[in-house]
Amino acid sequence: MIGDDYMLYCVKVTAPANTEKDKAVVKEVVIQEQVITQISVYFPPGHVCLTGVAVFYGEEQIFPHYEYDWLRGNGETVTGYVYYILPETPAKVKVKMFNEDTKYDHTVYVRIEALPIEIALWQYHLYALSQLFVDLYNVWSRPVRIIT
């Protein structure tokens, strides 16, 4: 069991009606662990994809992926496994939200899971070890061609 090393940060972010993307509401979360492993955002019903949420470290967008637009939703929870290694701890992560709805304020609920690096990356090491065995099997199981 992970126990005391596991940390789940939960924040509620509300954006007033007509909050533009370049003037997004910002909520800071101080992360004590070295690796953000998972981020989920709950969009209550009624958002109809008029709100957008993104998580940043400094100016770098870490969720959703930096090459894509901000996350939108309606009556759903969207979860991503990010395994983002923070360059320092504690680290300030920013949850940003805009709202294109012209009439209603909207609220989202963001959960950020973080772990110490030695726990978070064990999966990577396990995968690398399993790949080594697959590679060795592929080498040893090849038929031997005898050239005469």
Side-chain angles (χ1 to χ4, degrees), residues 2-128:
I2 296 173
D4 294 334
D5 296 325
Y6 169 83
M7 186 57 72
L8 184 64
Y9 301 88
C10 302
V11 294
K12 175 176 130 176
V13 185
T14 301
N18 295 311
T19 302
E20 297 175 12
K21 192 179 205 179
D22 61 341
K23 295 177 182 165
V25 172
V26 177
K27 186 89 153 207
E28 281 191 351
V29 182
V30 178
I31 307 291
Q32 300 295 329
E33 297 73 24
Q34 297 100 340
V35 182
I36 295 174
T37 54
Q38 180 177 319
I39 300 173
S40 64
V41 180
Y42 173 60
F43 294 90
H47 282 244
V48 292
C49 295
L50 292 173
T51 58
V53 177
V55 180
F56 292 80
Y57 175 75
E59 296 300 314
E60 181 181 2
Q61 182 175 322
I62 60 176
F63 182 74
H65 193 271
Y66 67 90
E67 294 179 353
Y68 296 93
D69 200 3
W70 291 22
L71 191 61
R72 294 174 184 254
N74 182 54
E76 63 185 315
T77 299
V78 180
T79 301
Y81 300 94
V82 294
Y83 289 94
Y84 184 82
I85 300 173
L86 295 163
E88 61 185 359
T89 53
K92 289 182 181 177
V93 173
K94 297 177 192 166
V95 178
K96 296 184 180 182
M97 178 182 176
F98 68 87
N99 181 4
E100 296 173 339
D101 193 325
T102 57
K103 189 172 184 179
Y104 298 107
D105 298 353
H106 287 288
T107 300
V108 297
Y109 302 88
V110 179
R111 296 180 203 104
I112 301 172
E113 178 185 285
L115 294 170
I117 197 164
E118 62 274 5
I119 295 173
L121 297 184
W122 72 269
Q123 294 169 330
Y124 171 77
H125 296 298
L126 186 60
Y127 172 77

